[in-house]
Amino acid sequence: MFTQSYQNILVGIDGSDQAMEAFKKALAVAKRNQGTVYVANVIDHQIYTFMSYSPLNQNIMDQLAADAKDLINECKDLGAELGYNKIEGIIAYGSAKEAMAKTLPEKYDIDLIMVGQSGLNAVERFMTGSVASYVIKEAACDVLIVHPSAE
């Protein structure tokens, strides 16, 4: 019988409940396989430019990077609470779609990408397209979409 053992799991985090749910499930998968969870926050300057925060000045970039570090530390703290600390944080810049589907999986030898169904509101999703749907189509590894729980 074929059993899949995922060693390097990538999760995109953006502060949304969906992303945190994906992280928690990724943690469970990593724990079972003694793998590593890579939590990535992608600072997508194109979204901010489109939403008229342009051009992105250094203060905004610094704040976005600080927020990303906070999100990563939140994940690491939660992992520690749950007894698992093989968690690596990544702050990436550029297209969230490209980073999650191609750049980061190649760089970190990712064998599973887990994404929350959607961290965007309807307008943002319309303007940028769904990162999840892009990742499903373009990623070279397995992708698992985490649907919101019924809580």
Side-chain angles (χ1 to χ4, degrees):
M1 183 171 139
F2 178 77
T3 56
Q4 179 66 51
S5 175
Y6 296 109
Q7 293 302 303
N8 297 311
I9 303 157
L10 177 64
V11 181
I13 53 168
D14 60 5
S16 68
D17 292 343
Q18 297 93 329
M20 193 51 76
E21 204 157 333
F23 169 70
K24 289 175 186 171
K25 289 189 178 182
L27 207 55
V29 172
K31 233 174 162 173
R32 284 194 301 273
N33 295 289
Q34 284 77 53
T36 301
V37 177
Y38 292 86
V39 288
N41 181 268
V42 183
I43 298 172
D44 192 338
H45 51 82
Q46 292 172 327
I47 289 176
Y48 292 96
T49 302
F50 178 81
M51 293 169 68
S52 76
Y53 294 110
S54 76
L56 281 184
N57 66 36
Q58 197 56 49
N59 290 344
I60 294 171
M61 291 302 288
D62 290 347
Q63 185 58 55
L64 292 171
D67 292 347
K69 283 181 187 153
D70 289 346
L71 285 172
I72 289 166
N73 287 332
E74 221 177 280
C75 289
K76 287 183 176 183
D77 291 347
L78 180 59
E81 279 177 41
L82 298 173
Y84 204 73
N85 60 8
K86 288 177 76 174
I87 301 165
E88 299 291 332
I90 302 167
I91 299 175
Y93 297 86
S95 162
K97 292 176 177 182
E98 287 296 317
M100 290 300 296
K102 296 176 182 176
T103 314
L104 298 177
E106 287 171 16
K107 184 173 183 179
Y108 295 96
D109 195 27
I110 300 299
D111 48 24
L112 176 64
I113 302 169
M114 293 178 73
V115 290
Q117 190 173 25
S118 176
L120 300 175
N121 68 36
V123 174
E124 291 168 324
R125 205 167 31 251
F126 175 74
M127 300 314 297
T128 63
S130 165
V131 172
S133 63
Y134 184 83
V135 170
I136 290 167
K137 285 186 275 189
E138 299 296 330
C141 63
D142 289 351
V143 178
L144 187 125
I145 304 300
V146 176
H147 292 276
S149 66
E151 290 176 21

